[in-house]
Amino acid sequence: MKSTQRIAAFTTAMAVATAPLLALASPASAEPAKTAQTAQSLPLDWVSLEALSGTQLLQRVKQLLGKGYVPEALSVTNAANPQYTSVWIKDTTRKVSVLQGLSATDLPKTITEQAKAGFQPAMITGTGTGADAVFAAVFEKTTQQIQSKLDLTKETFVKVNAQLTAAGYSVASLDVYGTVEKPLYAAVWVAGAATGTVQVTMGQTVEERGKELLARAKQGLRPVVMAVEPGKLYTTVWSKGSSTGLKEYLNLSKVTYTLKSVQMKALGYRPEILDTEGGLIAAIWTKS
């Protein structure tokens, strides 16, 4: 499949929408919503874009980057008719470029080209398999040491992740595409980004993932990266941190995700982690 590359660059911030499946309650999340404020009247510190076409995404990216927003999450699904869901946050200190509609051969070339301008991959998302796979990526101008790899099998990802972890890198972005029979991994590692041991769980069902969240919380760990795999399975990266104030909702449709986004914004939450695959949206919100 021949793809068209779209580019936009500036500095900015972002948002998301969704509906609930699993939630880890906390004292903060139990607070009632302030009746005097609605999601619309609260400060627009994050913006959510759901299921946009490539052309629609390009238009919104230009607008948001120009207003000082940057992507906090970006995910593509449906290789035959790519749909992009993203979350943007306000951050005028960062300079980023957002590219979409990339093929498996386009992306490595683009990574090399961006590096010459001082931009490193911060997020990579993909959908589909083989020559029909479609990718999007966020590049950020940074001096950090970055490693990125594509088309990794499960076994290869585990091996490479162990090697890079031993070298002081940790997973900053992870997406799973391909097929149920052969999932493929695209990941970005950043040197010195995490504190303490980072652990990865792969191929979990919704039920398994829900139990995992509760078990990891007791160990003082929280999800820092999450990807929805083909077949409605979940890969999660866990790192040291409190899960207080965290709300997690998996297995959402576009409609329920949008409704949940409005509800969570009214309660003072913003989406921190988001991924889509096969019409399913999974998101994690944290208290602002």
Side-chain angles (χ1 to χ4, degrees):
M1 179 186 76
K2 186 175 181 181
S3 60
T4 302
Q5 180 172 316
R6 316 276 185 180
I7 304 179
F10 291 96
T11 312
T12 10
M14 157 186 224
V16 174
T18 179
L21 189 344
L22 296 171
L24 189 62
S26 68
S29 66
E31 296 175 2
K34 297 179 181 179
T35 56
Q37 289 184 314
T38 65
Q40 289 73 29
S41 65
L42 289 170
L44 193 61
D45 57 351
W46 60 267
V47 177
S48 172
L49 307 177
E50 301 97 41
L52 300 185
S53 68
T55 300
Q56 291 171 327
L57 176 67
L58 178 61
Q59 294 172 342
R60 293 306 306 276
V61 164
K62 289 180 178 179
Q63 294 171 354
L64 288 169
L65 290 178
K67 293 179 180 179
Y69 286 81
V70 293
E72 171 131 308
L74 174 65
S75 184
V76 61
T77 188
N78 188 4
N81 181 25
Q83 301 289 303
Y84 300 86
T85 296
S86 58
V87 175
W88 298 74
I89 60 169
K90 195 83 170 180
D91 190 340
T92 58
T93 65
R94 295 161 58 191
K95 188 173 183 180
V96 305
S97 60
V98 181
L99 297 89
Q100 53 86 9
L102 302 169
S103 70
T105 54
D106 290 335
L107 185 52
K109 295 176 184 177
T110 301
I111 291 174
T112 300
E113 292 169 357
Q114 289 283 307
K116 293 177 182 178
F119 287 80
Q120 298 278 6
M123 298 176 216
I124 297 175
T125 176
T127 187
T129 189
D132 293 327
V134 176
F135 298 88
V138 176
F139 293 84
E140 183 168 354
K141 195 155 193 177
T142 178
T143 57
Q144 285 185 298
Q145 297 181 48
I146 306 288
Q147 293 275 353
S148 63
K149 297 187 181 297
L150 313 172
D151 289 340
L152 300 176
T153 63
K154 182 176 182 178
E155 295 72 23
T156 304
F157 170 78
V158 170
K159 181 179 179 180
V160 170
N161 184 55
Q163 293 172 341
L164 289 174
T165 298
Y169 288 79
S170 59
V171 180
S173 168
L174 177 65
D175 202 15
V176 187
Y177 53 104
T179 64
V180 176
E181 296 74 23
K182 187 181 179 181
L184 296 173
Y185 298 75
V188 176
W189 290 263
V190 178
T195 57
T197 303
V198 175
Q199 301 174 27
V200 182
T201 53
M202 308 168 77
Q204 294 186 314
T205 63
V206 170
E207 292 76 14
E208 292 169 337
R209 179 60 179 69
K211 293 177 182 178
E212 193 74 44
L213 174 65
L214 298 176
R216 296 285 176 168
K218 293 178 181 178
Q219 299 169 19
L221 300 174
R222 62 174 290 153
V224 292
V225 178
M226 182 174 65
V228 183
E229 304 180 27
K232 298 184 179 181
L233 301 175
Y234 300 82
T235 287
T236 310
V237 179
W238 308 87
S239 186
K240 185 178 180 181
S242 172
S243 56
T244 299
L246 177 152
K247 288 282 190 177
E248 176 176 277
Y249 299 92
L250 310 179
N251 204 23
L252 305 171
S253 68
K254 177 182 179 295
V255 172
T256 54
Y257 170 75
T258 301
L259 293 173
K260 178 54 63 176
S261 183
V262 172
Q263 177 189 13
M264 297 303 285
K265 176 171 276 192
L267 292 172
Y269 287 80
R270 70 174 177 84
E272 184 175 80
I273 299 173
L274 167 77
D275 196 40
T276 64
E277 179 61 37
L280 181 154
I281 300 175
I284 295 175
W285 278 265
T286 56
K287 198 77 169 177
S288 300

